[in-house]
Amino acid sequence: MKYGRRVAIIGGSRIPFARSNTAYSTKSNQDMLTAALKGLVDKYQLHGERIGEVQAGAVLKHSRDFNLTRESVLSSGLAPETAAADVQMACGTGLAAAINIANKIALGQIESGIAGGVDTTSDAPIAVGEKLRKILLEVNRAKTGGQRLAALAKFRPAMLAPAIPTNGEPRTRMSMGEHCEVMVKEWKIPREAQDQLAFESHQKAARAWESGFYADLVVPFAGLERDNNLRPDISIEKISTLGPAFDRKSGQGTLTAANSTPLTDGASAVLLASEDWAKAHGFEPQAYLTHVETAAVDFVNKKEGLLMAPAYAVPRMLERAGISLQDFDFYEIHEAFAGQVLCTLKAWEDPKFCKERLGLSKPLGSIDRSRMNIKGSSLAAGHPFAATGGRILATLAKIIAENGHKGRGLISICAAGGQGVVAIVEGK
């Protein structure tokens, strides 16, 4: 990091990502996070070692997950004396955890740490309705049998309907996809461009799997060896036949099941360290985490696009780093939706947006799309909310390592709540 010691990315490990209600339908957050951590412990022979700290998190959590990361650490093979903490920043959780660990390493507070994330939509927490919850609490507070009966008398069978979690925004009552539909209409992103990006994501991910790129990044789990959302045989013709997934009524919807990420289960973990710790353990850093930034937009009052925060975070980070948007060899832009990626890229090219919203004298400009998500991204792999950051960070670090430990990469992740987390990863 610029303001402290260099933070080395040693490498990462994850389990295959699985579509909701498929391979991991009976697995919990703790099951999956433990598997990802074990994969990292086995990969780097950290058995019985006390590392500085582990930070990870999940977006969808049961009450039993109140100490999720610590419980997973205790089953991971690391020394039981390894401290752990839970983090949550929606889809940016994995990268936010890495930033927290990196900052501690940069400041000399710890020498090594693991950042990770996990999510399951198959085992999503289902709560009782609010009326029933209040009755149950009243029963619990009751001091006498009469008080308990009086509370229970308020019960009605309709109250048994469960409260099922959604991935919508509490303040707008709109889903992520509905918000993205608003964005692509505002930025005039055509359906064809979204479908093309989705097609390319699957094609690039399929080539990466066939070349063996993911062989040491992904550990088998629950009978699965590869991301089961990946469609190597996907075609533009097939994608184009799909109907709108979020805006069905108007007939103008362009987001479909193919150009949007599916609900996904999975977990990832990344090992970070100081250069001294890496050297002492005989590890050659794959790359270094050098700059980071977070941002948020006012999507309620100013009606800013919910998923546009990275468009603000990246220029702030570039200014601090003293480089331009074109000074990158690789771009890892999280594909929550193909339309969201294309809106962000178009915003950076737009003179009005860059002047009025970003306060810049000229547009940030275009990127070389051939350098973007070269091993595929979320549209192909899937998107277990809190695990995506770890997947991207580990993927980019390995890309740079295979490039002779040379080059510079940009990570950009949008998150619920109108937030964004971005970072720069560099070689030697």
Side-chain angles (χ1 to χ4, degrees), residues 33 37 54-58 68-69 85-88 93 97 114-118 268:
L33 181 57
L37 291 176
V54 178
Q55 290 199 21
L68 172 64
T69 307
D86 283 15
V87 181
Q88 206 272 65
T93 297
I114 294 174
V118 60
S268 65

Side-chain angles (χ1 to χ4, degrees), residues 249-261:
K249 292 183 179 180
S250 73
Q252 304 298 313
T254 59
L255 271 67
T256 70
N259 60 40
S260 308
T261 51

